[in-house]
Amino acid sequence: GQQVMQIPQYQHVQEGEDFTTYCNSSTTLSNIQWYKQRPGGHPVFLIQLVKSGEVKKQKRLTFQFGEAKKNSSLHITATQTTDVGTYFCAGRPLRFGAGTRLTVKP
Amino acid sequence: EAQVTQNPRYLITVTGKKLTVTCSQNMNHEYMSWYRQDPGLGLRQIYYSMNVEVTDKGDVPEGYKVSRKEKRNFPLILESPSPNQTSLYFCASSFRSYNEQFFGPGTRLTVL
């Protein structure tokens, strides 16, 4: 079945550094969604990408969908302590990656 | 307020004692699903429902049952819980399967 691999599993950064998490699928995805889960919280939807090569931005967050629609990335510029949490990608049919846990040192 | 509610939020039980975790949404969503979250494994789908009376297995359905008799409710039933079902459970809903999902607050289950 469809596998969605996400790397890295953990990332610890100094506040102000950039952060990137990658999501890779063994098959072509119809779309991909990104979610954020704060510690002790529930996943919250961030964005959905549908088109090949699509790039979307939300303030310091940049989301990209690969040309072959098999991979995606989330890049955070100049991390802040409020970015702490676990970031999940989810490919359709809905299968979540294992997530990347981000910690930020002030 | 648009939301997904789950009850109970925390539950400690013993092996073999049947339990039900309720899930309800007030957004008139057609699609609902249950996930379990375990360290290092992310969110794994247990069961999903495309609409009333339509349910199907996800990736890890063994040991679980669901029903969808009403659009708003999607209970998760563990007929005979075992310790390997100790986990954090999330219910989620969306308008259709490909739309953004709204998650409930989670239910932390411990089976002794």
Side-chain angles (χ1 to χ4, degrees), chain B residues 51-70:
Chain B
N51 214 326
V52 177
E53 301 292 1
V54 181
T55 63
D56 210 343
K57 296 177 180 179
D59 293 324
V60 288
E62 293 78 21
Y64 305 95
K65 287 175 60 177
V66 293
S67 69
R68 188 90 181 273
K69 297 177 181 175
E70 307 165 281

Side-chain angles (χ1 to χ4, degrees), chain B residues 9-85:
Chain B
R9 294 289 313 279
Y10 303 90
L11 180 60
I12 301 174
T13 189
V14 295
T15 299
K17 186 176 181 182
K18 181 180 178 180
L19 66 92
T20 299
V21 184
T22 64
C23 173
S24 183
Q25 51 94 4
N26 62 0
M27 295 170 278
N28 201 37
H29 286 166
E30 293 185 354
Y31 184 86
M32 297 185 74
S33 60
W34 276 102
Y35 297 90
R36 61 177 290 173
Q37 184 174 26
D38 302 289
L41 297 177
L43 291 155
R44 293 181 293 167
Q45 193 176 53
I46 303 170
Y47 268 95
Y48 65 93
S49 170
M50 300 291 278
N51 214 326
V52 177
E53 301 292 1
V54 181
T55 63
D56 210 343
K57 296 177 180 179
D59 293 324
V60 288
E62 293 78 21
Y64 305 95
K65 287 175 60 177
V66 293
S67 69
R68 188 90 181 273
K69 297 177 181 175
E70 307 165 281
K71 199 170 188 178
R72 64 184 295 129
N73 296 323
F74 191 44
L76 179 69
I77 304 156
L78 285 71
E79 294 270 1
S80 183
S82 62
N84 64 13
Q85 293 179 297

